Amino acid sequence: MVSVAVISRTQEERTEAAKERIRDTALLLFGENGYDATTLAAISLKAGFSRTLAQYHYPEKSDLALELLDERIRRDNHLELLNCADGLSAQGAWDCLIRHLDSVSEYYGKLHGACDHSIVVRGEMALHAAALMHADAVLSARVHNLTVDLIARIERLFEICRKANFIPVNSDPHALAILHVHSIWGLAQALFANPKGSKPIAAAFEQIHVLLEALRTPEKL
């Protein structure tokens, strides 16, 4: 029984190692050649596997892309910082918004450069761009669902602030959340389209801070 368990774990480890190598190679090729121009055959060849093995783990390129996209968006969005307990105060909700913005802007600011890590990040951005441009319907649907979830989390925080008059009571939390999310993603896309523009992008992230602070009602400052 022990030997069977050991063999089973070893096979699982080998399977995961192969999948990880395929995922890493896919991101490198997406970064170098773009999403549309990269085939599953090219990925498997670069990874050192047969196309049959790659298709065993990922029958279609979109299956591989979905797994990579999910990982990227959930990691980069720092969703754990947007979890708020019932009864959270307006100040607590505001602090969540600020911490989230700080973490996201710092994270994206560290990703640009001329190393292999940046090539991987460009691969992730190519995936996201393909989804946003509707180049792949499955990717687009997944990004839409994840975006809706992110907006809902941020909207809840804005709503807590609005109800407590921390921001004007006539504010629209849903519209604010949409503006907030797409401002961040737009700046992230601009950063990786032009890595040399990191300073103005950082300044733009800081302006999101300024706009947030301008929302606060005078007595809450």
Side-chain angles (χ1 to χ4, degrees):
M1 293 295 290
V2 174
S3 62
V4 172
V6 170
I7 292 173
S8 177
R9 286 196 300 271
T10 301
Q11 182 59 44
E12 289 174 1
E13 290 170 357
R14 289 176 179 173
T15 296
E16 183 50 42
K19 292 177 69 175
E20 182 177 359
R21 187 167 175 179
I22 292 170
R23 291 194 299 267
D24 290 346
T25 302
L27 289 175
L28 287 173
L29 292 181
F30 291 159
E32 292 175 353
N33 306 320
Y35 176 75
D36 289 337
T38 302
T39 65
L40 192 58
I43 294 169
S44 59
L45 180 64
K46 181 76 171 179
F49 298 125
S50 67
R51 180 170 180 174
T52 301
L53 178 62
Q55 287 184 311
Y56 174 78
H57 295 304
Y58 301 104
E60 302 289 342
K61 185 174 75 170
S62 59
D63 297 315
L64 170 58
L66 278 175
E67 189 170 313
L68 291 168
L69 190 66
D70 275 350
E71 179 182 339
R72 176 202 175 243
I73 291 180
R74 296 184 188 283
R75 182 198 67 215
D76 294 6
N77 285 338
H78 297 272
L79 295 179
E80 72 283 355
L81 297 179
L82 297 174
N83 293 330
C84 55
D86 292 337
L88 183 68
S89 67
Q91 183 64 61
W94 189 259
D95 290 343
C96 282
L97 286 168
I98 297 301
R99 281 196 301 270
H100 179 259
L101 178 60
D102 286 343
S103 295
V104 171
S105 58
E106 180 182 4
Y107 175 78
Y108 280 121
K110 288 180 177 178
L111 289 181
H112 110 96
C115 59
D116 288 342
H117 181 60
S118 291
I119 295 175
V120 169
V121 173
R122 286 197 292 273
E124 294 178 338
M125 296 300 289
L127 265 180
H128 200 171
L132 293 177
M133 297 300 292
H134 303 288
D136 187 305
V138 177
L139 292 183
S140 295
R142 184 60 57 89
V143 166
H144 172 76
N145 292 336
L146 292 170
T147 301
V148 168
D149 175 54
L150 177 60
I151 288 173
R153 290 169 187 253
I154 291 177
E155 179 181 354
R156 183 185 179 197
L157 296 173
F158 275 126
E159 178 63 13
I160 292 171
C161 294
R162 186 195 69 80
K163 285 183 175 180
N165 197 30
F166 204 88
I167 62 176
V169 293
N170 62 347
S171 300
D172 183 338
H174 184 64
L176 287 173
I178 291 174
L179 177 62
H180 188 76
V181 168
H182 287 286
S183 294
I184 291 172
W185 279 8
L187 290 175
Q189 290 281 2
L191 176 61
F192 291 102
N194 177 24
K196 293 182 179 179
S198 58
K199 288 185 178 179
I201 296 299
F205 268 115
E206 184 58 34
Q207 285 305 302
I208 299 179
H209 262 290
V210 173
L211 292 173
L212 277 178
E213 290 298 328
L215 278 174
R216 296 175 63 176
T217 52
E219 60 269 24
K220 301 297 182 180
L221 293 174

